[in-house]
Amino acid sequence: MSRPGASSGMIYSLWIINKSGGLVYSKDFRATKALEVNMLLKIAGMFHAMHAISKQFAPQSTADECSGIETIEADGFRFSCFESASGVKFCCSTAPELTNASAFLEAVYVVYADYVLKNPFYDVDQFGVGQPIRVERFDRKLEELVERWRNAP
């Protein structure tokens, strides 16, 4: 796993969106007031739709060859997305200076696989639609991962 640079403490939030477009996990790492749950659900659903549409408009011959939206850059933040092979999207908002958010999201995916998917009490149905993630060990390991990124040289 590559390590973050000097702006590593600038991870603002993390979302996990299931392959049906439902927000199954959201965590804000800032001390400011987070968005309301209903607004987060709407935004996650809209991003899921935009991600799917972007695959259709890609210049490649088939949508399977395109990975969809990977990064959205704005003046005050950068929104990055990593889509797993199963269609689950891992998204984070960061400071614009953080250019290697994809490495962070891949590390989150590893933690997700280890502590959510291997948890016998977390249910994913036959369509890949999981329940909201409420796994205490996942939360702890995610906090440790974010701290490592914040404190990396």
Side-chain angles (χ1 to χ4, degrees):
M1 170 175 78
S2 65
R3 301 299 272 174
S7 61
S8 60
M10 301 298 189
I11 299 168
Y12 299 150
S13 63
L14 172 74
W15 296 355
I16 300 176
I17 303 171
N18 67 22
K19 70 182 198 175
S20 297
L23 183 66
V24 293
Y25 188 83
S26 174
K27 180 80 172 175
D28 198 330
F29 300 106
R30 296 175 293 175
T32 60
K33 184 180 176 188
L35 292 173
E36 293 180 15
V37 175
N38 286 339
M39 184 57 72
L40 287 173
L41 292 170
K42 288 177 187 176
I43 294 171
M46 285 189 293
F47 178 76
H48 174 75
M50 290 182 349
H51 191 274
I53 291 169
S54 72
K55 288 182 174 184
Q56 299 301 316
F57 287 127
Q60 286 87 356
S61 60
T62 66
D64 293 334
E65 296 175 10
C66 178
S67 60
I69 297 171
E70 293 179 356
T71 304
I72 298 173
E73 294 183 31
D75 289 338
F77 71 97
R78 177 183 300 227
F79 189 80
S80 301
C81 178
F82 165 74
E83 184 176 17
S84 70
S86 64
V88 176
K89 293 171 196 66
F90 297 83
C91 306
C92 68
S93 62
T94 66
E97 306 84 42
L98 186 66
T99 57
N100 59 346
S102 60
F104 170 73
L105 292 172
E106 289 175 16
V108 170
Y109 173 68
V110 170
V111 174
Y112 168 81
D114 286 345
Y115 294 96
V116 176
L117 294 182
K118 293 178 184 176
N119 183 337
F121 301 108
Y122 182 72
D123 186 32
V124 177
D125 67 16
Q126 65 188 11
F127 303 108
V129 179
Q131 298 297 313
I133 299 170
R134 293 185 182 96
V135 179
E136 188 177 319
R137 289 187 74 198
F138 173 70
D139 286 333
R140 281 197 315 265
K141 292 297 180 179
L142 186 60
E143 289 288 341
E144 290 173 12
L145 177 66
V146 170
E147 276 305 307
R148 279 198 310 270
W149 276 70
R150 285 183 177 152
N151 297 326

